[in-house]
Amino acid sequence: ANFQSSVLSLPDLVSYAMPARYAFVAAVIMKLVIAGTGAYVFARVVGLGALSSAFAGITYVLSGGFASELSWPLTDVLAWVGWLAAFAVLAYRWPSRPRYVVGLAVATAFSIYGGFPEANATTALFGVVAGAVIVVTLALQRRRLWLRGLARIGGGIVAGAGLAMPLVLPGVQYAANAHRQTEATFGPIPGKGLVLLLVPGYYGSPTLSGSFPMPGTNFYDTVAYVGVVVAILAVVAIVTLPRHPLVLGLAGGTLALVLVSYGIGHFHPILDLLKSAGLARVVWRRARYIAGFPLVILAAIGLETLLRSRGQARAPWAFAA
């Protein structure tokens, strides 16, 4: 009944079939496989080619926010982000294929069984913001919105939560009496930590001698590396497809994750809003762990525009700049 035991997460279920000395490695490999294939499949579902999709899958599993926490149940949850997004799109598009709703329910259940409710909260934050931006963009562009498709997405998520009740019901009772209830919540990462998305050794970390140059935090609290190439390709996507609903949704979702993870001084209006909604116990700075997913999908879209840029100079010029 302890969430972090994650006894029913898919990586752990596979590890039970292995000799004990290989069990941990098997669970880690499963996380990498689930996360990488999920990002790849989502990229394919939204129309990207095999090369760009492979770029997304490989880059997501090697991003600092995911790879640095492979020993923690947090990544049992984040490994399913790509599959959740892929099944959500397929459930929306194909009303005559209930298997996609079932797939969304199973992916939702396994993400909850991952054993880190906080990661489910940050995933939900990203999904709600990105989805809202997409819906608003479609409405402003006067493109048809399939309400039945949205209902199928909601039905899949609710069904997945139902499948996870054997963990959620006792887990909530345990959590109500856990030491976590007596801990003070963590503040956001200082805004200057954003540079570590691009250059992980900017402050001399992790070989820095002495204290980490950000009061109230440690090096491992700031790990979110995706790299300069990913950032450039993400900008290419935004520059070349500035009105595309998916690009705007991913950009909006990324912005939300950054705003709740990083702060400047004592100005935290987004965090204050979340706390006023009764979500003060979530350590929102950990939302940065999931930021790698929308960034690498944006980068894959940028790479795809480069690969298809015959006769159009905007994408190559944006990349060169």
Side-chain angles (χ1 to χ4, degrees), residues 1-5 7-8 112-113 117 161-178:
N2 174 3
F3 278 107
Q4 288 198 33
S5 299
V7 293
L8 293 177
I112 296 173
Y113 281 123
L163 290 173
M165 283 299 114
L167 169 65
V168 174
L169 292 176
V172 168
Q173 291 178 306
Y174 271 65
N177 297 284

PDB file of all heavy atoms in Angstrom, residues 1-5 7-8 112-113 117 161-178:
ATOM      1  N   ALA A   1       0.811  -1.217   0.000  1.00  0.00           N
ATOM      2  CA  ALA A   1       0.000   0.000   0.000  1.00  0.00           C
ATOM      3  C   ALA A   1       0.845   1.268   0.000  1.00  0.00           C
ATOM      4  O   ALA A   1       0.324   2.350  -0.151  1.00  0.00           O
ATOM      5  CB  ALA A   1      -0.930   0.003   1.203  1.00  0.00           C
ATOM      6  N   ASN A   2       2.149   1.144   0.161  1.00  0.00           N
ATOM      7  CA  ASN A   2       3.046   2.298   0.078  1.00  0.00           C
ATOM      8  C   ASN A   2       3.289   2.603  -1.393  1.00  0.00           C
ATOM      9  O   ASN A   2       3.770   1.763  -2.149  1.00  0.00           O
ATOM     10  CB  ASN A   2       4.364   1.960   0.781  1.00  0.00           C
ATOM     11  CG  ASN A   2       5.408   3.050   0.604  1.00  0.00           C
ATOM     12  OD1 ASN A   2       5.144   4.085   0.002  1.00  0.00           O
ATOM     13  ND2 ASN A   2       6.578   2.815   1.123  1.00  0.00           N
ATOM     14  N   PHE A   3       2.946   3.820  -1.822  1.00  0.00           N
ATOM     15  CA  PHE A   3       3.062   4.172  -3.237  1.00  0.00           C
ATOM     16  C   PHE A   3       4.445   3.843  -3.805  1.00  0.00           C
ATOM     17  O   PHE A   3       4.576   3.242  -4.866  1.00  0.00           O
ATOM     18  CB  PHE A   3       2.772   5.663  -3.432  1.00  0.00           C
ATOM     19  CG  PHE A   3       1.311   5.995  -3.494  1.00  0.00           C
ATOM     20  CD1 PHE A   3       0.675   6.635  -2.444  1.00  0.00           C
ATOM     21  CD2 PHE A   3       0.569   5.687  -4.621  1.00  0.00           C
ATOM     22  CE1 PHE A   3      -0.675   6.949  -2.507  1.00  0.00           C
ATOM     23  CE2 PHE A   3      -0.780   5.998  -4.694  1.00  0.00           C
ATOM     24  CZ  PHE A   3      -1.406   6.632  -3.634  1.00  0.00           C
ATOM     25  N   GLN A   4       5.504   4.254  -3.085  1.00  0.00           N
ATOM     26  CA  GLN A   4       6.836   4.148  -3.651  1.00  0.00           C
ATOM     27  C   GLN A   4       7.341   2.713  -3.759  1.00  0.00           C
ATOM     28  O   GLN A   4       8.373   2.471  -4.392  1.00  0.00           O
ATOM     29  CB  GLN A   4       7.827   5.005  -2.852  1.00  0.00           C
ATOM     30  CG  GLN A   4       7.618   6.484  -3.084  1.00  0.00           C
ATOM     31  CD  GLN A   4       8.816   7.310  -2.668  1.00  0.00           C
ATOM     32  OE1 GLN A   4       9.954   6.871  -2.765  1.00  0.00           O
ATOM     33  NE2 GLN A   4       8.567   8.525  -2.215  1.00  0.00           N
ATOM     34  N   SER A   5       6.629   1.762  -3.156  1.00  0.00           N
ATOM     35  CA  SER A   5       6.995   0.360  -3.383  1.00  0.00           C
ATOM     36  C   SER A   5       6.759  -0.021  -4.837  1.00  0.00           C
ATOM     37  O   SER A   5       7.418  -0.914  -5.368  1.00  0.00           O
ATOM     38  CB  SER A   5       6.167  -0.553  -2.467  1.00  0.00           C
ATOM     39  OG  SER A   5       6.407  -0.249  -1.116  1.00  0.00           O
ATOM     40  N   VAL A   7       4.811  -1.865  -6.481  1.00  0.00           N
ATOM     41  CA  VAL A   7       4.877  -3.314  -6.686  1.00  0.00           C
ATOM     42  C   VAL A   7       4.133  -3.761  -7.935  1.00  0.00           C
ATOM     43  O   VAL A   7       4.365  -4.860  -8.446  1.00  0.00           O
ATOM     44  CB  VAL A   7       4.320  -4.065  -5.459  1.00  0.00           C
ATOM     45  CG1 VAL A   7       5.217  -3.873  -4.261  1.00  0.00           C
ATOM     46  CG2 VAL A   7       2.891  -3.609  -5.142  1.00  0.00           C
ATOM     47  N   LEU A   8       3.220  -2.928  -8.460  1.00  0.00           N
ATOM     48  CA  LEU A   8       2.458  -3.307  -9.650  1.00  0.00           C
ATOM     49  C   LEU A   8       2.830  -2.471 -10.870  1.00  0.00           C
ATOM     50  O   LEU A   8       2.125  -2.511 -11.875  1.00  0.00           O
ATOM     51  CB  LEU A   8       0.952  -3.190  -9.371  1.00  0.00           C
ATOM     52  CG  LEU A   8       0.390  -4.192  -8.353  1.00  0.00           C
ATOM     53  CD1 LEU A   8      -1.090  -3.938  -8.113  1.00  0.00           C
ATOM     54  CD2 LEU A   8       0.601  -5.616  -8.828  1.00  0.00           C
ATOM     55  N   ILE A 112      -0.130   5.387 -12.761  1.00  0.00           N
ATOM     56  CA  ILE A 112      -0.481   5.550 -11.342  1.00  0.00           C
ATOM     57  C   ILE A 112       0.199   4.473 -10.506  1.00  0.00           C
ATOM     58  O   ILE A 112       0.735   4.743  -9.422  1.00  0.00           O
ATOM     59  CB  ILE A 112      -2.006   5.510 -11.155  1.00  0.00           C
ATOM     60  CG1 ILE A 112      -2.653   6.696 -11.877  1.00  0.00           C
ATOM     61  CG2 ILE A 112      -2.377   5.514  -9.675  1.00  0.00           C
ATOM     62  CD1 ILE A 112      -4.164   6.665 -11.912  1.00  0.00           C
ATOM     63  N   TYR A 113       0.228   3.243 -11.021  1.00  0.00           N
ATOM     64  CA  TYR A 113       0.917   2.162 -10.321  1.00  0.00           C
ATOM     65  C   TYR A 113       2.423   2.402 -10.262  1.00  0.00           C
ATOM     66  O   TYR A 113       3.134   1.714  -9.518  1.00  0.00           O
ATOM     67  CB  TYR A 113       0.642   0.815 -11.002  1.00  0.00           C
ATOM     68  CG  TYR A 113      -0.701   0.213 -10.664  1.00  0.00           C
ATOM     69  CD1 TYR A 113      -1.609  -0.109 -11.655  1.00  0.00           C
ATOM     70  CD2 TYR A 113      -1.052  -0.040  -9.339  1.00  0.00           C
ATOM     71  CE1 TYR A 113      -2.844  -0.659 -11.351  1.00  0.00           C
ATOM     72  CE2 TYR A 113      -2.277  -0.582  -9.021  1.00  0.00           C
ATOM     73  CZ  TYR A 113      -3.177  -0.901 -10.025  1.00  0.00           C
ATOM     74  OH  TYR A 113      -4.392  -1.442  -9.710  1.00  0.00           O
ATOM     75  N   PRO A 117       2.692   9.712  -6.855  1.00  0.00           N
ATOM     76  CA  PRO A 117       1.539  10.559  -7.171  1.00  0.00           C
ATOM     77  C   PRO A 117       1.911  11.986  -7.572  1.00  0.00           C
ATOM     78  O   PRO A 117       1.214  12.615  -8.363  1.00  0.00           O
ATOM     79  CB  PRO A 117       0.729  10.556  -5.865  1.00  0.00           C
ATOM     80  CG  PRO A 117       1.140   9.301  -5.172  1.00  0.00           C
ATOM     81  CD  PRO A 117       2.576   9.080  -5.531  1.00  0.00           C
ATOM     82  N   ALA A 161      -7.959   5.407 -14.012  1.00  0.00           N
ATOM     83  CA  ALA A 161      -7.950   5.689 -12.576  1.00  0.00           C
ATOM     84  C   ALA A 161      -8.715   4.608 -11.816  1.00  0.00           C
ATOM     85  O   ALA A 161      -8.328   4.205 -10.716  1.00  0.00           O
ATOM     86  CB  ALA A 161      -8.561   7.064 -12.317  1.00  0.00           C
ATOM     87  N   GLY A 162      -9.798   4.115 -12.422  1.00  0.00           N
ATOM     88  CA  GLY A 162     -10.546   3.031 -11.797  1.00  0.00           C
ATOM     89  C   GLY A 162      -9.728   1.766 -11.679  1.00  0.00           C
ATOM     90  O   GLY A 162      -9.759   1.081 -10.643  1.00  0.00           O
ATOM     91  N   LEU A 163      -8.968   1.443 -12.710  1.00  0.00           N
ATOM     92  CA  LEU A 163      -8.106   0.259 -12.665  1.00  0.00           C
ATOM     93  C   LEU A 163      -7.030   0.384 -11.584  1.00  0.00           C
ATOM     94  O   LEU A 163      -6.527  -0.627 -11.084  1.00  0.00           O
ATOM     95  CB  LEU A 163      -7.435   0.047 -14.028  1.00  0.00           C
ATOM     96  CG  LEU A 163      -8.333  -0.395 -15.185  1.00  0.00           C
ATOM     97  CD1 LEU A 163      -7.554  -0.382 -16.493  1.00  0.00           C
ATOM     98  CD2 LEU A 163      -8.903  -1.784 -14.923  1.00  0.00           C
ATOM     99  N   ALA A 164      -6.676   1.618 -11.246  1.00  0.00           N
ATOM    100  CA  ALA A 164      -5.617   1.841 -10.257  1.00  0.00           C
ATOM    101  C   ALA A 164      -6.137   1.925  -8.827  1.00  0.00           C
ATOM    102  O   ALA A 164      -5.339   2.089  -7.896  1.00  0.00           O
ATOM    103  CB  ALA A 164      -4.861   3.127 -10.594  1.00  0.00           C
ATOM    104  N   MET A 165      -7.437   1.785  -8.617  1.00  0.00           N
ATOM    105  CA  MET A 165      -7.996   1.909  -7.272  1.00  0.00           C
ATOM    106  C   MET A 165      -7.404   0.932  -6.249  1.00  0.00           C
ATOM    107  O   MET A 165      -7.301   1.274  -5.066  1.00  0.00           O
ATOM    108  CB  MET A 165      -9.519   1.760  -7.317  1.00  0.00           C
ATOM    109  CG  MET A 165     -10.245   2.993  -7.810  1.00  0.00           C
ATOM    110  SD  MET A 165      -9.979   4.464  -6.781  1.00  0.00           S
ATOM    111  CE  MET A 165      -9.083   5.510  -7.914  1.00  0.00           C
ATOM    112  N   PRO A 166      -7.007  -0.290  -6.639  1.00  0.00           N
ATOM    113  CA  PRO A 166      -6.395  -1.169  -5.635  1.00  0.00           C
ATOM    114  C   PRO A 166      -5.152  -0.581  -4.978  1.00  0.00           C
ATOM    115  O   PRO A 166      -4.783  -0.975  -3.879  1.00  0.00           O
ATOM    116  CB  PRO A 166      -6.050  -2.431  -6.447  1.00  0.00           C
ATOM    117  CG  PRO A 166      -7.070  -2.457  -7.526  1.00  0.00           C
ATOM    118  CD  PRO A 166      -7.281  -1.013  -7.902  1.00  0.00           C
ATOM    119  N   LEU A 167      -4.482   0.364  -5.644  1.00  0.00           N
ATOM    120  CA  LEU A 167      -3.355   1.064  -5.025  1.00  0.00           C
ATOM    121  C   LEU A 167      -3.800   2.385  -4.416  1.00  0.00           C
ATOM    122  O   LEU A 167      -3.401   2.737  -3.308  1.00  0.00           O
ATOM    123  CB  LEU A 167      -2.253   1.334  -6.052  1.00  0.00           C
ATOM    124  CG  LEU A 167      -1.147   2.296  -5.594  1.00  0.00           C
ATOM    125  CD1 LEU A 167      -0.358   1.689  -4.436  1.00  0.00           C
ATOM    126  CD2 LEU A 167      -0.210   2.654  -6.732  1.00  0.00           C
ATOM    127  N   VAL A 168      -4.654   3.117  -5.139  1.00  0.00           N
ATOM    128  CA  VAL A 168      -4.992   4.473  -4.717  1.00  0.00           C
ATOM    129  C   VAL A 168      -5.732   4.485  -3.382  1.00  0.00           C
ATOM    130  O   VAL A 168      -5.407   5.280  -2.483  1.00  0.00           O
ATOM    131  CB  VAL A 168      -5.839   5.177  -5.801  1.00  0.00           C
ATOM    132  CG1 VAL A 168      -6.321   6.540  -5.295  1.00  0.00           C
ATOM    133  CG2 VAL A 168      -5.026   5.355  -7.079  1.00  0.00           C
ATOM    134  N   LEU A 169      -6.698   3.615  -3.208  1.00  0.00           N
ATOM    135  CA  LEU A 169      -7.519   3.656  -1.996  1.00  0.00           C
ATOM    136  C   LEU A 169      -6.700   3.409  -0.725  1.00  0.00           C
ATOM    137  O   LEU A 169      -6.750   4.214   0.207  1.00  0.00           O
ATOM    138  CB  LEU A 169      -8.676   2.662  -2.122  1.00  0.00           C
ATOM    139  CG  LEU A 169      -9.727   3.039  -3.181  1.00  0.00           C
ATOM    140  CD1 LEU A 169     -10.778   1.950  -3.310  1.00  0.00           C
ATOM    141  CD2 LEU A 169     -10.384   4.371  -2.846  1.00  0.00           C
ATOM    142  N   PRO A 170      -5.917   2.315  -0.637  1.00  0.00           N
ATOM    143  CA  PRO A 170      -5.090   2.157   0.570  1.00  0.00           C
ATOM    144  C   PRO A 170      -3.920   3.127   0.595  1.00  0.00           C
ATOM    145  O   PRO A 170      -3.487   3.561   1.666  1.00  0.00           O
ATOM    146  CB  PRO A 170      -4.607   0.704   0.485  1.00  0.00           C
ATOM    147  CG  PRO A 170      -4.619   0.384  -0.966  1.00  0.00           C
ATOM    148  CD  PRO A 170      -5.789   1.138  -1.533  1.00  0.00           C
ATOM    149  N   GLY A 171      -3.408   3.483  -0.589  1.00  0.00           N
ATOM    150  CA  GLY A 171      -2.261   4.386  -0.633  1.00  0.00           C
ATOM    151  C   GLY A 171      -2.571   5.747  -0.052  1.00  0.00           C
ATOM    152  O   GLY A 171      -1.751   6.348   0.652  1.00  0.00           O
ATOM    153  N   VAL A 172      -3.757   6.263  -0.324  1.00  0.00           N
ATOM    154  CA  VAL A 172      -4.149   7.564   0.214  1.00  0.00           C
ATOM    155  C   VAL A 172      -4.242   7.499   1.737  1.00  0.00           C
ATOM    156  O   VAL A 172      -3.854   8.444   2.436  1.00  0.00           O
ATOM    157  CB  VAL A 172      -5.498   8.002  -0.396  1.00  0.00           C
ATOM    158  CG1 VAL A 172      -6.065   9.201   0.356  1.00  0.00           C
ATOM    159  CG2 VAL A 172      -5.318   8.341  -1.867  1.00  0.00           C
ATOM    160  N   GLN A 173      -4.732   6.369   2.264  1.00  0.00           N
ATOM    161  CA  GLN A 173      -4.809   6.214   3.717  1.00  0.00           C
ATOM    162  C   GLN A 173      -3.414   6.207   4.342  1.00  0.00           C
ATOM    163  O   GLN A 173      -3.182   6.824   5.384  1.00  0.00           O
ATOM    164  CB  GLN A 173      -5.545   4.924   4.065  1.00  0.00           C
ATOM    165  CG  GLN A 173      -7.033   4.958   3.730  1.00  0.00           C
ATOM    166  CD  GLN A 173      -7.703   3.643   4.044  1.00  0.00           C
ATOM    167  OE1 GLN A 173      -7.283   2.586   3.584  1.00  0.00           O
ATOM    168  NE2 GLN A 173      -8.765   3.707   4.830  1.00  0.00           N
ATOM    169  N   TYR A 174      -2.493   5.505   3.708  1.00  0.00           N
ATOM    170  CA  TYR A 174      -1.109   5.476   4.210  1.00  0.00           C
ATOM    171  C   TYR A 174      -0.484   6.866   4.131  1.00  0.00           C
ATOM    172  O   TYR A 174       0.179   7.314   5.065  1.00  0.00           O
ATOM    173  CB  TYR A 174      -0.271   4.490   3.395  1.00  0.00           C
ATOM    174  CG  TYR A 174      -0.277   3.086   3.924  1.00  0.00           C
ATOM    175  CD1 TYR A 174      -1.443   2.326   3.931  1.00  0.00           C
ATOM    176  CD2 TYR A 174       0.880   2.508   4.427  1.00  0.00           C
ATOM    177  CE1 TYR A 174      -1.461   1.034   4.416  1.00  0.00           C
ATOM    178  CE2 TYR A 174       0.876   1.206   4.923  1.00  0.00           C
ATOM    179  CZ  TYR A 174      -0.299   0.477   4.914  1.00  0.00           C
ATOM    180  OH  TYR A 174      -0.311  -0.798   5.400  1.00  0.00           O
ATOM    181  N   ALA A 175      -0.681   7.536   3.003  1.00  0.00           N
ATOM    182  CA  ALA A 175      -0.043   8.837   2.795  1.00  0.00           C
ATOM    183  C   ALA A 175      -0.534   9.868   3.809  1.00  0.00           C
ATOM    184  O   ALA A 175       0.208  10.773   4.194  1.00  0.00           O
ATOM    185  CB  ALA A 175      -0.313   9.323   1.378  1.00  0.00           C
ATOM    186  N   ALA A 176      -1.793   9.733   4.244  1.00  0.00           N
ATOM    187  CA  ALA A 176      -2.347  10.691   5.205  1.00  0.00           C
ATOM    188  C   ALA A 176      -1.618  10.641   6.542  1.00  0.00           C
ATOM    189  O   ALA A 176      -1.669  11.593   7.314  1.00  0.00           O
ATOM    190  CB  ALA A 176      -3.833  10.414   5.411  1.00  0.00           C
ATOM    191  N   ASN A 177      -0.928   9.519   6.822  1.00  0.00           N
ATOM    192  CA  ASN A 177      -0.197   9.377   8.084  1.00  0.00           C
ATOM    193  C   ASN A 177       1.311   9.294   7.873  1.00  0.00           C
ATOM    194  O   ASN A 177       2.038   8.906   8.773  1.00  0.00           O
ATOM    195  CB  ASN A 177      -0.676   8.107   8.808  1.00  0.00           C
ATOM    196  CG  ASN A 177      -2.137   8.194   9.191  1.00  0.00           C
ATOM    197  OD1 ASN A 177      -2.489   8.876  10.141  1.00  0.00           O
ATOM    198  ND2 ASN A 177      -2.996   7.518   8.446  1.00  0.00           N
ATOM    199  N   ALA A 178       1.773   9.660   6.696  1.00  0.00           N
ATOM    200  CA  ALA A 178       3.194   9.544   6.380  1.00  0.00           C
ATOM    201  C   ALA A 178       3.968  10.753   6.899  1.00  0.00           C
ATOM    202  O   ALA A 178       3.398  11.815   7.163  1.00  0.00           O
ATOM    203  CB  ALA A 178       3.395   9.419   4.872  1.00  0.00           C
TER     204      ALA A 178
END
